[in-house]
Amino acid sequence: MLLTNGGEPKCYEEAMESEHKNKWIVAMDDEMKSLHDNHTFELVKLPKGMKALQNRWIYRLKTEENGSTPRYKARLVVKDYRQKKGIDFDEIFSPVVKMSSIRVVLALAANLDLEIEHMDVKSAFLHGDLEEEIYMQQPEGFVMKGKENYVCKLKKSLYGLKQAPR
């Protein structure tokens, strides 16, 4: 079995054949729970003339600075190469922060004796509402019994969509 650097599976099949299969399943369950909690999609029949985008699982081992046991992280990502401009998206977004803005914030904090804290938003991309009608296949390992021919109608952005950074 081939694994990427650090023992990270390349695909769903590798994760299910891994000796850490149960940890990867828990990570995928956490991701799906987050998607459901954020009302990211709903299962529907695919309308005529529409195509469902494919998706894949991305697996990562996250280690803390103190070298504690790694966290198993799974993320569902849309394969966006099938998105067509004018149909699946109108604009591509790429938000950036200028270094001068960061310097101003740091200068204000130093001048006003404020504390700065760093935070990580676990699912930042999942908060953007979609304006377009986009359908995605059900994720591997999470195909709803009795609704195998249904697809996910995306209501919010998912990683991999061209408009996700909006």
Side-chain angles (χ1 to χ4, degrees):
M1 172 172 57
L2 294 174
L3 293 175
T4 59
N5 290 341
E8 296 170 346
K10 290 182 182 179
C11 62
Y12 177 80
E13 290 80 21
E14 277 189 20
M16 294 303 98
E17 293 172 5
S18 164
E19 63 185 81
H20 302 290
K21 172 184 174 179
N22 292 336
K23 292 179 181 179
W24 291 121
I25 290 172
V26 169
M28 289 186 295
D29 286 341
D30 286 347
E31 174 76 354
M32 289 302 290
K33 182 182 180 326
S34 178
L35 295 176
H36 286 295
D37 289 349
N38 286 306
H39 307 288
T40 306
F41 61 82
E42 62 184 344
L43 285 179
V44 298
K45 288 203 178 248
L46 184 65
K48 282 195 174 198
M50 299 298 287
K51 291 184 181 177
L53 297 173
Q54 296 176 339
N55 57 62
R56 64 173 286 194
W57 287 103
I58 303 291
Y59 301 97
R60 293 287 178 259
L61 285 171
K62 301 283 187 167
T63 53
E64 301 297 325
E65 290 178 20
N66 60 9
S68 63
T69 57
R71 286 186 303 127
Y72 289 74
K73 184 131 173 95
R75 174 157 288 144
L76 184 65
V77 176
V78 176
K79 294 181 178 180
D80 73 340
Y81 57 84
R82 289 185 55 196
Q83 281 189 283
K84 293 186 172 63
K85 186 168 179 140
I87 297 171
D88 298 315
F89 69 96
D90 291 316
E91 301 175 271
I92 295 176
F93 300 86
S94 183
V96 293
V97 177
K98 293 181 180 178
M99 270 315 281
S100 57
S101 301
I102 293 172
R103 285 189 195 105
V104 168
V105 170
L106 291 174
L108 283 170
N111 194 16
L112 299 173
D113 197 29
L114 299 174
E115 290 184 24
I116 294 180
E117 290 187 28
H118 168 76
M119 67 177 266
D120 184 23
V121 178
K122 184 177 177 181
S123 55
F125 275 37
L126 305 181
H127 295 288
D129 292 326
L130 289 175
E131 297 169 359
E132 302 83 7
E133 213 171 290
I134 298 177
Y135 299 91
M136 173 187 79
Q137 295 173 354
Q138 292 186 55
E140 272 184 293
F142 292 88
V143 176
M144 184 79 65
K145 285 189 178 14
K147 295 188 175 185
E148 291 85 356
N149 58 348
Y150 279 48
V151 296
C152 303
K153 179 181 181 185
L154 298 178
K155 299 193 293 187
K156 297 197 181 262
S157 291
L158 259 184
Y159 291 94
L161 290 176
K162 297 210 184 284
Q163 61 270 53
R166 183 185 327 166

